[in-house]
Amino acid sequence: MSDDAPVQLWLCRNEDLPEVHAVDLARCWLDPAEQERARRFVFPADRRQYLVAHALVRRVLAGHTGVPESRLRFWRSRRGRPFLSPPPEGWPRGDTGLDFNLSHARGVNVVGTAVNRRIGVDVERLDRDDAESWMRVAESFTAEERRWIDGLVPSERARGVLRLWTLKEAYAKARGLGLSLPFDSFAFVLDGGRRVRRFRPSRDDAVGRWQFLQLEPMASTIVAVAVEAAAGDAVTAHLRYGFPWMSQPPVVLDLPPTPGPPDTTPADREGVIVR
Ligand SMILES: CC(C)(COP(=O)(O)OP(=O)(O)OC[C@H]1O[C@@H](n2cnc3c(N)ncnc32)[C@H](O)[C@@H]1OP(=O)(O)O)[C@@H](O)C(=O)NCCC(=O)NCCS
C-alpha cells in the first residue's frame, strides 16, 4: 500500500452479522478487555452493537495487515483513541502506516482506514424522534453555523445539525481529541447538498490539512469522514457494505479538496495531533 492508497470505508449494520456469528466471532477474536466490556452492557442491543463493531474492526484490520483477527493488539491514547500496536514478531506485510477509526450508532457501524494519514469517522441516524435535542446540540456550534441552520427550511434543520455534528466529530476523532475539542473552535461552511465548501480548523491546527467526505449511504444515516491530506492530494475512498466476509467491489468516491476560509492566510504552523 502507498500514500495514495484509497481510504477504505465499511458500513455494516448489526443485522449484517447474525447474532449467533457475532457471539462466536467475539468469543474467538476479542481480547479479555473487550470481552469484559461486552459483558458489562446492561441492554442486549448495546452488547450486540459492541460485538458487531469490534468483530468488524478486527476483520477489516486483519485483512489489511495480515495479522489474524485474534492476534491484533491495540493501545489507547489518554483520550481513548485506539491505535494498532505492532506485533512482537513484526507486521507480516511490513508496516503499512495504517490508521483506523470506528463509529457506531443505533444498529449501524462504520470503520474507516487510511494509509499514512489520520482518519476520523462518525455515523449518526436521522430517524430519531428527538429532533429537538439535536437542535440543542447546535448550541455548541459557531455563530455562523447556527445562522446557517436557522436559514434552512424548518424540515431540513435537524439534518443540517447532523451534517455539521458528524463532520465535527469526524474531525475531532481524526485528531484524537473527541469531544474535548470545543465544537465552536472550528467551523464548516456547507452547501445544500453533501459538500463542504470551506473549513476553518481550530487554532492549533493548520489550514488546508484535511479533506472531508459526507455521505448518506443508506436511509436515515449520515456519515462523515475526515482525512489528513496535503494540498493537492487527490484522495479517493472505497465504500463497502456489509460484513467483510470476502472481497467485494467498492463504491468509489472522490474527496474534493476543502478550501480554508477566505480570510485566513496559509498557516505555517505544524498541525498538532494529540495522542
Ligand atoms: C470519541 C468520542 C467523540 C466518541 O463519541 P461517540 O459518538 O459516543 O462514539 P462513536 O461511535 O462515534 O465512536 C466511538 C469509537 O471511537 C473510538 N474512539 C474513542 N475515543 C476516541 C478519541 N479520543 N478519538 C478518536 N476516536 C476515539 C473508539 O473506537 C470508540 O469505540 P469503542 O470504544 O467501542 O472502541 C467521545 O467518546 C470522546 O469525546 N472521547 C474522548 C473523551 C476524553 O477525552 N476522554 C478521556 C478519558 S478516556
Side-chain angles (χ1 to χ4, degrees):
M1 280 184 277
S2 67
D3 283 11
D4 55 10
V7 164
Q8 305 284 348
L9 301 170
W10 279 264
L11 186 144
C12 176
R13 299 165 309 162
N14 286 358
E15 65 256 41
D16 293 330
L17 185 63
E19 184 155 19
V20 61
H21 298 315
V23 169
D24 274 357
L25 292 184
R27 197 169 31 238
C28 298
W29 291 352
L30 270 48
D31 64 27
E34 288 170 304
Q35 307 268 8
E36 176 53 28
R37 199 167 152 207
R39 262 192 297 276
R40 286 204 309 267
F41 285 105
V42 175
F43 297 108
D46 294 336
R47 184 175 310 112
R48 176 155 165 65
Q49 176 100 52
Y50 183 84
L51 296 183
V52 174
H54 283 245
L56 175 69
V57 165
R58 284 181 177 265
R59 179 72 180 168
V60 165
L61 297 180
H64 270 282
T65 61
V67 178
E69 289 84 352
S70 61
R71 295 186 61 192
L72 288 164
R73 297 285 175 267
F74 301 90
W75 64 276
R76 287 199 183 239
S77 70
R78 65 192 163 89
R79 295 199 188 278
R81 189 186 198 277
F83 294 88
L84 271 170
S85 297
E89 63 281 12
W91 297 107
R93 298 177 185 154
D95 184 355
T96 56
L98 193 68
D99 190 34
F100 76 98
N101 200 229
L102 161 71
S103 182
H104 30 61
R106 299 205 318 148
V108 178
N109 309 280
V110 176
V111 174
T113 62
V115 173
N116 292 327
R117 353 172 156 262
R118 282 294 185 87
I119 182 168
V121 298
D122 191 51
V123 58
E124 298 291 348
R125 303 307 300 276
L126 264 175
D127 55 347
R128 304 176 62 136
D129 46 17
D130 49 359
E132 247 177 63
S133 51
W134 275 117
M135 293 311 293
R136 275 199 297 279
V137 157
E139 286 165 21
S140 62
F141 296 172
T142 65
E144 310 94 275
E145 289 168 337
R146 290 200 307 272
R147 271 196 296 278
W148 177 75
I149 290 160
D150 289 345
L152 298 172
V153 292
S155 60
E156 274 298 301
R157 282 185 195 149
R159 179 171 170 273
V161 171
L162 252 73
R163 285 188 62 201
L164 283 168
W165 177 263
T166 51
L167 284 162
K168 280 174 182 275
E169 272 222 47
Y171 170 68
K173 291 178 74 186
R175 296 198 54 208
L177 295 166
L179 301 177
S180 68
L181 183 66
F183 272 20
D184 60 358
S185 65
F186 57 102
F188 290 90
V189 177
L190 306 186
D191 69 7
R194 292 185 195 137
R195 293 281 294 255
V196 174
R197 283 179 44 214
R198 295 194 176 278
F199 174 61
R200 172 173 57 77
S202 57
R203 288 175 67 81
D204 60 353
D205 198 3
V207 170
R209 178 162 164 243
W210 299 93
Q211 293 184 12
F212 300 92
L213 186 64
Q214 185 134 64
L215 307 167
E216 293 185 30
M218 51 185 250
S220 312
T221 305
I222 294 196
V223 174
V225 183
V227 181
E228 199 176 14
D233 278 5
V235 183
T236 301
H238 287 182
L239 168 67
R240 291 179 172 88
Y241 291 84
F243 193 79
W245 288 117
M246 60 183 77
S247 177
Q248 330 150 354
V251 179
V252 178
L253 307 153
D254 291 320
L255 278 77
T258 306
D263 56 345
T264 48
T265 51
D268 53 7
R269 286 164 291 165
E270 275 300 300
V272 176
I273 295 179
V274 174
R275 287 204 150 202

